[in-house]
Amino acid sequence: MTRTTRRGATAQLLALGRRLSPVRRDPRHVLQALCLVLAAMGATLLVWGLQVTDAAYDGRDLRTSARHPLRAAAEPGTLPTARWWDSRDVVGDRSFSVVTIEPLVADAPLPPGLPRRPEPGEAFVSPALLEALPAASTRYGKQAGTIAADGLAEPSEFLVYRRPPPGTALSPGPGGISGIVGYGTPLPDASDFASQTFDRAESDVRLLIAPLLGLPVAVLLVTASRLGARQRDRRLAVLHAIGAGRSVRARIAVGECLRPLALGTAAAAVPLMAVTLTGVRLPVTGHAIAAADLAPLRLWFPLALLPVLAALCLSFAALHLRVRPAGGNRPRPGRDRPSAWPGRLCGLGTLLALWGAVIGHQTGVRIFILGLVLAMAGLPPLLGRAAARAAVRLTVRGRGDAARLIGGRWAAAHPAVIARSCASLAVLLGLLTQVQVLITELTSEARHATSLARRLDGKLLHVSEGAGDEKARARFLSALGAGDRVLRLAPGGEGAPPVLMGHCRDLAALAPLSVCPGAEPAPAVRVFRERTARTEALRWMSSGEVNVRSEASRARLTGGKGDYVVLTRRADGREHVSRAAFATLAAPSVVVPGDEYVIGATARARIAGWVVLIAAPGFVLLALTGAAGLLHAYLDRADELRPLAGYTSGVRFHLRTAWWGMGVPTACALALATAFAGLLGAVNLAFLAPSGDSPLPLLAGGLVTAVVLCTGATVAGGLLSSRFTHRWVPRGD
């Protein structure tokens, strides 16, 4: 019995499919194999990204639950062992927690991540905060050490644990300071930590990863299945004619794709597995994922690769179950005029987008998005036709140049090839541009707060004491510089507006006075002669109008309840005031009025970084797909160049033909796609999102990436077509 007869039918059919794609003989089979390799790499990255999302969120939720304070009020009959208070501080555009803890018993439990409880005036700081702000080592008190990884939601979190300075204490009261009995509660709906206020839900990340990576994988599989479609359809028709069923055709297709898919899966899995051992800091976003969170992937990720490979093979085989007509010699009617639906669809979508932008508000945004989708759906065929017309014009001008004539006429005769090669890139670039503009748009409050902060220039600060007594407040006022002006914003009684108290010369630092108020509160509009940025800041701190009362001296500002308004002249005024507050008050917070709106809008705008990060691999995959499809279509007609190439030597003729046939039309199409996306982005910025970020960097980066890949395809087309033609020798002349 021979080896062939001993082999099963499935093995023989798989081997037959493998032999049908001789990579070494035809570079077009290399392109098909490349598409399959890229599809496998994209699918592997997709699965890895979803698993990393699960693992990272599971680890974060576990640590968040472990450090969440267990309040004594939630445990009837228990006495508090410590007092716990979360105040807020800001570094750049990031808000984070400064947690003040004060033990009430000797064996009070420690929060996770601390080796010991801090002594009075000491602080533990997260490593990421120290890296971003070296002054944090002394701002919150004497540094006692850093917070360990098990006490941080993620390695890049900003967090401080501190103990009140000597002579101060946290006292329970209406300010929200709570007694706790320990740490560790079920995961709350809303975290008590300010550093987690703007965390995105796991479902949001999944919704980004799945389409932005899944769509390019699907496009690559479909493209690979249609490369060399003429020969494959003829082969499937012959198999169908001799009685081969669907299972036979499917196994042959699996044999054709199995090797490149396995190669792509392994090529992507090896570096991704290495990342699970070291952890990773994601580019663009700066988000860090610890190696400990990725430990489960060392088992589950390799186990998921086999189902991924099987799903890719079955998907590729499913695309070949239907037998397409192999074609014949019967002439087909040609169209004198191209179809009109792409132009109508794109024009209708553009008009809807303009209408929605003019309307504005939520309804206008929805109409704009609908118009954008319709315009993107009709754009690719128009790009192919525009590139074909450009090729015709270039051909007319270059009739004395054989390479220019041949390449230009080939591009003019194949607008659909240009359209398919640019379709995914044009649509994705257009959608990402509008998403970036809409996400980075500031709310009206954030715009006003940004303008106010720019005019205040960090010279007016709102200091909340959290808890304290008159002695602590007196020490705070003494710690300020001689040139600093201090006012007190005290709550009004029984529905009355808050009362701003201070010496008349300190009140005059806000705005010129019409009259110095007396001991009875007077409305601010009667006290101040004009409205300035500083008087406007009072409205942000009090959520409305304020009354003004004068005090004879600064010493009278230490009694009662209320916050402080500090006006400083120092260039490092915020740092100076923060150090004075944390060194003297129990649980202070030092902010610029209105910055919570700016921080919230900035946190929302950071989603654009995640979109760019996740979309970048998909964009590159789609660009490679378009380049491979264009190159394959060009190589399909390389045989036609053999007679002409017999009259020249070298590869210059082939490179110039590929340049005029692929490079120039594709560059025209991509330039038009970028201009159209930029036009819609400009409309979006002008009407819907005037404070959004400019899409020019994204457009420039996408265009450069696409042009580089298409240039590579052009050079490869010239070199590979020269290999097709150099073996041609005229015979029988």
Side-chain angles (χ1 to χ4, degrees), residues 456-463 476-477 480-488 500-511 528 532-535 537-538 541 554 557 564-571 573-574 576-577 590-591 593:
L456 293 177
D457 193 26
K459 298 297 191 296
L460 186 147
L461 300 170
H462 179 197
V463 181
F476 168 66
L477 297 182
L480 296 176
D484 295 334
R485 306 289 185 181
V486 183
L487 304 170
R488 189 81 185 273
L500 182 69
M501 303 178 296
H503 196 277
C504 285
R505 65 172 177 271
D506 295 333
L507 292 172
L510 295 175
F528 297 109
T532 64
R534 294 183 172 184
T535 59
L538 298 177
M541 289 185 282
R554 181 181 290 187
L557 302 180
Y564 287 103
V565 180
V566 180
L567 296 94
T568 179
R569 300 177 181 178
R570 299 170 59 121
R574 184 165 189 168
H576 166 67
V577 174
V590 181
V591 298

Side-chain angles (χ1 to χ4, degrees), residues 135-487:
S137 60
T138 55
R139 173 188 286 189
Y140 309 101
K142 180 182 178 182
Q143 183 182 349
T146 58
I147 304 173
D150 59 340
L152 301 173
E154 54 201 28
S156 55
E157 182 182 19
F158 291 178
L159 181 63
V160 176
Y161 282 111
R162 65 182 292 271
R163 190 169 174 179
T168 61
L170 289 177
S171 56
I177 297 175
S178 56
I180 63 173
V181 297
Y183 300 91
T185 65
L187 189 67
D189 294 333
S191 176
D192 284 344
F193 291 83
S195 53
Q196 292 186 273
T197 304
F198 303 105
D199 284 349
R200 307 304 306 177
E202 181 179 356
S203 58
D204 294 345
V205 182
R206 285 176 169 272
L207 288 176
L208 282 177
I209 293 176
L212 291 179
L213 289 179
L215 179 61
V217 171
V219 172
L220 277 164
L221 272 181
V222 173
T223 301
S225 69
R226 298 314 300 161
L227 292 182
R230 186 183 308 170
Q231 295 83 357
R232 186 179 296 105
D233 292 342
R234 186 181 298 113
R235 182 168 63 246
L236 292 177
V238 171
L239 290 172
H240 179 68
I242 63 177
R246 291 189 174 184
S247 64
V248 173
R249 300 197 299 270
R251 281 177 282 181
I252 293 176
V254 170
E256 184 179 353
C257 70
L258 180 58
R259 183 178 293 179
L261 288 177
L263 177 62
T265 303
V270 171
L272 294 178
M273 276 296 295
V275 169
T276 63
L277 302 174
T278 61
V280 62
R281 181 177 292 275
L282 301 176
V284 182
T285 63
H287 183 81
I289 304 176
D293 288 342
L294 300 178
L297 270 68
R298 299 165 196 167
L299 173 63
W300 295 111
F301 179 57
L303 292 179
L305 294 181
L306 187 58
V308 170
L309 180 60
L312 291 173
C313 292
L314 292 177
S315 301
F316 185 82
L319 295 172
H320 298 86
L321 294 181
R322 180 188 172 200
V323 180
R324 301 174 183 268
N329 295 325
R330 179 178 298 177
R332 298 179 182 178
R335 289 184 178 179
D336 295 334
R337 301 178 61 183
S339 177
W341 71 263
R344 294 174 180 173
L345 188 63
C346 187
L348 176 62
T350 304
L351 292 177
L352 281 176
L354 293 174
W355 182 37
V358 172
I359 291 177
H361 305 293
Q362 197 67 26
T363 302
V365 172
R366 293 172 181 172
I367 296 176
F368 179 85
I369 293 176
L370 175 62
L372 173 66
V373 172
L374 294 178
M376 290 294 112
L379 181 63
L382 299 181
L383 295 178
R385 295 174 191 176
R389 291 185 179 181
V392 170
R393 292 181 178 274
L394 293 173
T395 301
V396 170
R397 297 179 182 178
R399 292 183 177 179
D401 188 343
R404 184 173 182 176
L405 182 65
I406 295 171
R409 288 190 174 180
W410 180 84
H414 298 83
V417 174
I418 307 297
R420 286 194 297 268
S421 65
C422 300
S424 301
L425 287 175
V427 172
L428 185 60
L429 188 61
L431 293 178
L432 287 179
T433 299
Q434 311 313 318
V435 167
Q436 183 198 23
V437 173
L438 291 174
I439 287 179
T440 55
E441 160 70 354
L442 299 177
T443 61
S444 60
E445 293 87 355
R447 287 198 297 270
H448 295 155
T450 302
S451 175
L452 176 64
R454 190 181 302 113
R455 288 183 291 164
L456 293 177
D457 193 26
K459 298 297 191 296
L460 186 147
L461 300 170
H462 179 197
V463 181
S464 302
E465 61 175 331
D469 52 20
E470 289 193 25
K471 293 181 179 180
R473 298 181 195 118
R475 287 196 296 269
F476 168 66
L477 297 182
S478 300
L480 296 176
D484 295 334
R485 306 289 185 181
V486 183
L487 304 170

Side-chain angles (χ1 to χ4, degrees), residues 496-554:
V499 179
L500 182 69
M501 303 178 296
H503 196 277
C504 285
R505 65 172 177 271
D506 295 333
L507 292 172
L510 295 175
L513 299 178
S514 298
V515 61
C516 181
E520 292 297 324
V525 293
R526 291 169 47 189
V527 174
F528 297 109
R529 188 184 309 166
E530 60 185 41
R531 293 180 60 180
T532 64
R534 294 183 172 184
T535 59
E536 182 67 19
L538 298 177
R539 298 170 58 88
W540 288 82
M541 289 185 282
S542 61
S543 302
E545 297 295 335
V546 297
N547 292 333
V548 184
R549 189 182 75 193
S550 65
E551 295 289 350
S553 66
R554 181 181 290 187

